[in-house]
């Protein structure tokens, strides 16, 4: 296999043959973790070879083995015992020496060794918890389940995840598979995946004018899903690929999705020391923060990105309007719609020179009541920078159009106006959903950077304009995309009608001549034909 697209095509075909009675969202809990286990095992092999520790796999003394495992854990954050390496797993399967119980022993061993390094424990603990070896859909008995698991392992082992130049593309293949599983999962796909081209729009915006030098770039996603948005931000940074230059923070409520994110980032080469991911309810309690003199101080970020669940319900009973400083001075979002709760949480963690881009349904632009008050307070605080309307049907799970809201830290805002971009009509139509082309994305970003009016596409609205519209941010109020129907001048219309009449008369005469030349027409038929032709001429 020479490139990612070839590997992906074959891997997906093989995966569909193995999937059996499971739907896509469930089957991912087997194929993706085994891809990750292979990555961890081979990464450990490389570490041992690089540090001259290859002999540890041959050690039989228990104490010496313990020392090796401790040393490995200190170096890479985890340790895989010699008997449970990927090479050993494949060998057992090929020699018909493995049982379902062996898979469980392998995972138990990994979880035990993950506790050796306290700094990395949170990154690796229970990362394989979604592999359910007792699931009846794997098979009705232990033998059938073992066969399915064996087939998955051998399928994952069948590929060399490097391109022709030797570049590792395992992370790219893994992320593409996440997208494919999201497409097959329908609405459930929204829990773990944001389409790449949408992620690019957000990532390009928050990294504009940003460069990683001696200072780490810090990015936070409070609803990170599988972590693809965080990785896209890294890819847009000038020096983002340099190890350790970007610090990643993310939080996710769903345990399965949280596991996907941990695996996704690590398979893209992110060191556990730069990965600060947490499973938890972002809105229920504030995170991330630092402890200083017994006080919780919110961490601030150069970039905040998010594509949170749209208009989700949330529990506001325990929200203390005075003590929860995330919402103080702005208001509390209604229990039926948490959109502005995510906005305010993100703003709370945005550095004074940072940028936040968050994707939300259009309702946040114009809904009233408590949301209207929050919107007014944010605008009056001069934090909202840009509103971008995207096309409908970009996602696998909904066909509604969405909007990207861009916020700037107080020191990053240089004006009090707000840029409106209507990109809703520019997309590439697909079979099941629409896509943004590279040209569509480039136009959005160029317009964002220029910050100028563009006919039927963009408008820079003054604060007075916003106030005149009662802080309603509906894009159509600021960007006029109305296409007037073309009016044909009366003289031109009269001439066109005359031309049509003449063409009809000429065609009728020609038809009459042709019919009149027929030799077998009766007198009665000729009479009827004459009446018909006279009627046409009228």
């Amino acid at each position: 296999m020479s490139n990612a697209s070839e590997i992906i095509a074959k891997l997906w075909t093989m995966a569909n043959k193995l999937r059996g009675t499971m739907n896509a969202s469930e089957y991912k809990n087997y194929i993706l973790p085994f891809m990750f286990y292979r990555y961890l095992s081979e990464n450990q092999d490389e570490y041992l070879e690089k540090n001259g520790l290859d002999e540890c796999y041959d050690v039989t003394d228990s104490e010496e083995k313990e020392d090796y495992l401790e040393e490995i854990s200190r170096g890479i954050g985890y340790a895989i015992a010699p008997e449970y390496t990927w090479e050993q797993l494949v060998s057992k399967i090929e020699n018909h020496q493995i049982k379902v119980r062996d898979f469980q022993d392998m995972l138990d061993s990994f979880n035990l060794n993950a506790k050796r390094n306290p700094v990395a424990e949170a990154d690796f603990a229970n990362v394989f918890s979604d592999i359910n070896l007792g699931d009846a859909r794997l098979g009705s008995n232990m033998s059938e389940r073992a066969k399915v698991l064996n087939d998955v392992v051998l399928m994952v082992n069948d590929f060399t995840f490097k391109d022709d130049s030797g570049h590792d593309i395992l992370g790219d293949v893994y992320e593409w598979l996440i997208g494919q599983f999201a497409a097959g999962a329908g609405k459930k796909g929204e829990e773990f995946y944001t389409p790449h081209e949408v992620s690019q729009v957000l990532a390009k915006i928050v990294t504009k004018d940003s460069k990683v030098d001696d200072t780490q770039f810090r990015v936070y996603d409070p609803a990170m899903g599988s972590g693809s948005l965080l990785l896209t931000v890294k890819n847009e940074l000038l020096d983002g690929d340099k190890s350790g230059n970007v610090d990643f923070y993310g939080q996710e409520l769903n345990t399965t999705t949280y596991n996907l994110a941990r695996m996704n980032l690590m398979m893209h080469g992110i060191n556990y020391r730069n990965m600060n991911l947490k499973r938890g309810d972002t809105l229920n309690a504030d995170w991330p923060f630092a402890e200083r003199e017994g006080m919780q101080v919110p961490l601030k970020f150069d970039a905040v990105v998010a594509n949170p669940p749209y208009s989700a319900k949330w529990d506001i009973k325990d929200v203390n309007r005075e003590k929860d400083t995330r919402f103080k001075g702005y208001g509390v979002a209604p229990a039926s719609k948490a959109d502005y709760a995510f906005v305010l949480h993100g703003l709370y963690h945005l550095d004074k020179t940072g940028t936040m881009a968050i994707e939300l349904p259009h309702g946040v632009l114009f809904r009233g009541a408590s949301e209207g008050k929050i919107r007014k307070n944010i605008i009056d605080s001069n934090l909202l920078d840009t509103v971008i309307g995207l096309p409908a049907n970009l996602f696998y799970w909904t066909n509604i159009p969405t909007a990207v809201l861009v916020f700037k830290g107080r020191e990053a805002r240089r004006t009090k106006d707000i840029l409106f971009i209507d990109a809703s009509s520019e997309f590439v139509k697909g079979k099941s959903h629409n896509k943004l082309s590279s040209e569509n994305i480039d136009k959005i970003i160029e317009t964002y950077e220029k910050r100028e009016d563009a006919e039927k596409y963009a408008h820079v609205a003054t604060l007075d304009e916003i106030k005149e519209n009662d802080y309603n941010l509906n894009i159509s109020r600021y960007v006029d995309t109305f296409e007037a129907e073309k009016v044909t001048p009366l003289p031109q219309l009269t001439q066109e009608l005359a031309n049509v009449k003449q063409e009809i008369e000429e065609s009728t005469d020609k038809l009459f001549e042709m019919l009149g030349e027929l030799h077998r027409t009766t007198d009665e038929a000729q009479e009827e034909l004459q009446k018909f032709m006279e009627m046409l001429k009228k």
Side-chain angles (χ1 to χ4, degrees), residues 342-526:
F342 280 105
V343 169
L344 293 175
H345 175 84
L347 286 174
Y348 186 65
H349 288 280
L350 184 64
D351 188 78
K352 58 187 177 182
T353 59
T355 302
M356 177 171 82
I358 181 170
E359 186 158 12
L360 294 167
H362 275 246
V364 300
L365 303 176
F366 55 80
R367 290 193 297 247
S370 58
E371 290 183 293
K373 293 178 181 177
I374 296 173
R375 186 169 60 246
K376 178 181 181 300
N377 289 332
I378 290 174
I379 294 171
D380 285 341
S381 297
N382 198 29
L383 297 173
L384 180 61
D385 182 83
T386 303
V387 177
I388 304 170
L390 294 182
N393 201 26
L394 287 178
F395 300 91
Y396 301 118
W397 53 88
T398 181
N399 59 7
I400 65 169
T402 57
V404 175
L405 274 64
V406 182
F407 300 88
K408 293 278 191 179
R410 297 184 186 279
E411 292 185 10
R413 282 281 281 165
R414 297 179 177 86
T415 65
K416 289 191 175 182
D417 52 39
I418 297 175
L419 171 64
F420 289 84
I421 299 175
D422 187 346
S424 60
S425 61
E426 300 193 6
F427 56 87
V428 177
K429 191 167 183 60
K431 291 182 179 179
S432 58
H433 64 284
N434 299 324
K435 286 181 171 287
L436 293 175
S437 67
S438 57
E439 291 78 11
N440 298 147
I441 295 172
D442 289 344
K443 184 175 180 180
I444 291 172
I445 301 305
E446 287 171 8
T447 304
Y448 170 75
E449 291 177 347
K450 287 181 178 179
R451 203 172 183 83
E452 298 173 352
D453 282 13
E455 186 177 1
K456 300 187 183 303
Y457 191 77
H459 174 63
V460 181
T462 65
L463 183 57
D464 287 338
E465 286 181 78
I466 305 295
K467 290 179 177 178
E468 286 173 9
N469 281 296
D470 294 324
Y471 293 87
N472 186 317
L473 301 178
N474 203 329
I475 299 172
S476 61
R477 290 179 176 240
Y478 304 94
V479 182
D480 183 9
T481 59
F482 178 73
E483 293 284 351
E485 186 177 350
K486 186 177 180 180
V487 178
T488 304
L490 186 58
Q492 181 182 337
L493 186 60
T494 302
Q495 183 60 49
E496 289 177 356
L497 290 173
N499 293 341
V500 171
K501 183 179 180 182
Q502 182 179 348
E503 289 175 4
I504 292 175
E505 289 176 350
E506 290 174 354
S507 298
T508 302
D509 290 339
K510 188 174 182 179
L511 178 61
F512 182 76
E513 290 175 7
M514 293 172 63
L515 291 175
E517 293 175 359
L518 295 175
H519 299 295
R520 295 182 180 179
T521 54
T522 63
D523 292 340
E524 183 179 351
Q526 286 280 14

Side-chain angles (χ1 to χ4, degrees), residues 125-137:
N126 301 312
V127 72
F128 297 109
S129 62
D130 291 298
I131 297 180
N132 181 3
L133 299 176
D135 195 326
R137 286 167 298 184

Side-chain angles (χ1 to χ4, degrees), residues 37-38 41-42 44-45 48 57 80-92 106:
Y37 194 88
R38 174 183 171 177
S41 182
E42 292 179 350
Q44 176 172 295
D45 293 342
L48 294 177
Y57 284 159
I80 295 176
E83 63 269 30
Y84 294 121
T85 63
W86 181 260
E87 185 178 359
Q88 286 295 316
L89 175 63
V90 173
S91 177
K92 285 182 180 179
M106 177 184 77

Side-chain angles (χ1 to χ4, degrees), residues 280-293:
D281 188 334
T282 293
L283 302 181
N284 184 52
D286 184 43
W287 184 87
F289 53 81
E291 294 280 356
R292 293 178 188 168
E293 298 179 357

Side-chain angles (χ1 to χ4, degrees), residues 43-315:
N43 183 60
Q44 176 172 295
D45 293 342
E46 291 176 9
Y47 172 80
L48 294 177
E49 182 179 355
K50 182 179 178 181
N51 291 276
L53 300 172
D54 308 60
E55 71 276 7
C56 81
Y57 284 159
D58 300 323
V59 170
T60 56
D61 181 78
S62 58
E63 289 187 9
E64 192 175 355
K65 180 179 177 181
E66 276 292 305
D67 291 340
Y68 272 121
L69 291 175
E70 286 289 333
E71 185 171 351
I72 293 171
S73 180
R74 283 194 299 271
I76 58 178
Y78 63 93
I80 295 176
E83 63 269 30
Y84 294 121
T85 63
W86 181 260
E87 185 178 359
Q88 286 295 316
L89 175 63
V90 173
S91 177
K92 285 182 180 179
I93 292 173
E94 291 177 339
N95 290 295
H96 310 289
Q97 296 175 337
I98 197 164
K99 306 180 294 294
V100 171
R101 181 67 219 178
D102 294 329
F103 285 99
Q104 189 62 59
D105 291 343
M106 177 184 77
L107 299 178
D108 289 345
S109 173
F110 182 88
N111 286 332
L112 183 64
N113 286 324
K115 298 177 181 179
R116 293 178 181 274
N117 187 332
V119 177
E121 182 178 356
D123 296 312
F124 295 98
N126 301 312
V127 72
F128 297 109
S129 62
D130 291 298
I131 297 180
N132 181 3
L133 299 176
D135 195 326
R137 286 167 298 184
L138 285 174
S140 58
N141 55 57
M142 298 292 278
S143 177
E144 289 181 0
R145 292 172 199 168
K147 182 182 184 310
V148 173
L149 294 171
N150 292 349
D151 287 343
V152 171
V153 170
L154 294 178
M155 178 187 69
V156 171
N157 190 63
D158 195 42
F159 299 95
T160 300
F161 292 101
K162 295 185 183 294
D163 61 17
D164 291 335
S165 63
H167 175 66
D168 193 336
I169 53 175
L170 175 61
D172 297 334
V173 173
Y174 181 89
E175 191 164 1
W176 183 89
L177 283 174
I178 291 177
Q180 288 297 103
F181 283 123
K187 183 168 177 55
K188 288 184 179 180
E190 73 175 303
E191 296 178 354
F192 57 86
Y193 188 70
T194 299
H196 182 62
E197 64 270 17
V198 177
S199 293
Q200 281 186 299
V201 173
L202 276 67
K204 286 177 181 292
I205 286 172
V206 298
T207 56
K208 180 184 175 292
D209 299 327
S210 296
K211 184 173 73 170
V212 178
D213 292 316
D214 296 329
T215 306
Q216 261 186 340
F217 187 90
R218 289 152 61 95
V219 57
Y220 172 47
D221 185 345
M224 68 179 173
S226 60
S228 61
L229 187 46
L230 288 170
L231 290 169
T232 308
V233 171
K234 174 188 74 73
N235 294 337
E236 292 297 331
L237 284 165
L238 182 62
D239 300 308
D241 285 333
K242 292 183 179 179
S243 179
N245 274 4
V246 183
D247 230 1
F248 300 88
Y249 282 77
Q251 185 160 223
E252 171 59 41
L253 179 61
N254 183 283
T255 301
T256 298
T257 309
Y258 165 63
N259 289 337
L260 283 179
R262 290 192 286 173
M263 291 187 277
N264 196 12
L265 264 65
M266 280 189 268
M267 280 203 284
H268 278 87
I270 308 304
N271 190 288
Y272 73 90
R273 295 179 180 87
N274 301 113
M275 202 175 77
N276 305 277
L277 309 184
K278 181 175 182 287
R279 197 214 67 78
D281 188 334
T282 293
L283 302 181
N284 184 52
D286 184 43
W287 184 87
F289 53 81
E291 294 280 356
R292 293 178 188 168
E293 298 179 357
M295 299 284 291
Q296 292 183 352
V297 180
L299 294 183
K300 301 289 185 176
F301 296 90
D302 301 293
V304 177
V305 288
N307 180 27
Y310 302 151
S311 301
K313 295 180 179 179
W314 71 301
D315 189 358

